Amino acid sequence: MNNKYYLCEAESADDGVTKVTGYDQAEEVLQAAEESTAAVHFISTINPLAENEEGEDEK
């Protein structure tokens, strides 16, 4: 099973996530997070801006 990792970025915590970039490898997303210049950034396995993740079953 391939996990997808997302670097989520925002200009401030009050603004919420404004940019999400997907990565296939954990090492890639960790490197991108280290280089991020956004005021707020975090790594997630869920894309917070997606309406419905691909392959996810609706209940």
Side-chain angles (χ1 to χ4, degrees):
M1 180 177 176
N2 284 343
N3 286 330
K4 189 87 169 175
Y5 305 95
Y6 299 95
L7 176 60
C8 307
E9 300 175 291
E11 292 309 311
S12 77
D14 293 334
D15 290 343
V17 175
T18 55
K19 180 180 176 189
V20 175
T21 308
Y23 296 88
D24 292 323
Q25 301 294 319
E27 295 81 7
E28 293 174 341
V29 73
L30 287 171
Q31 182 67 39
E34 286 180 4
E35 296 172 358
S36 176
T37 58
V40 177
H41 60 276
F42 62 93
I43 297 169
S44 177
T45 56
I46 298 171
N47 182 344
L49 298 182
E51 291 287 325
N52 185 15
E53 285 291 308
E54 287 181 35
E56 193 172 274
D57 294 331
E58 287 190 36
K59 293 184 180 180

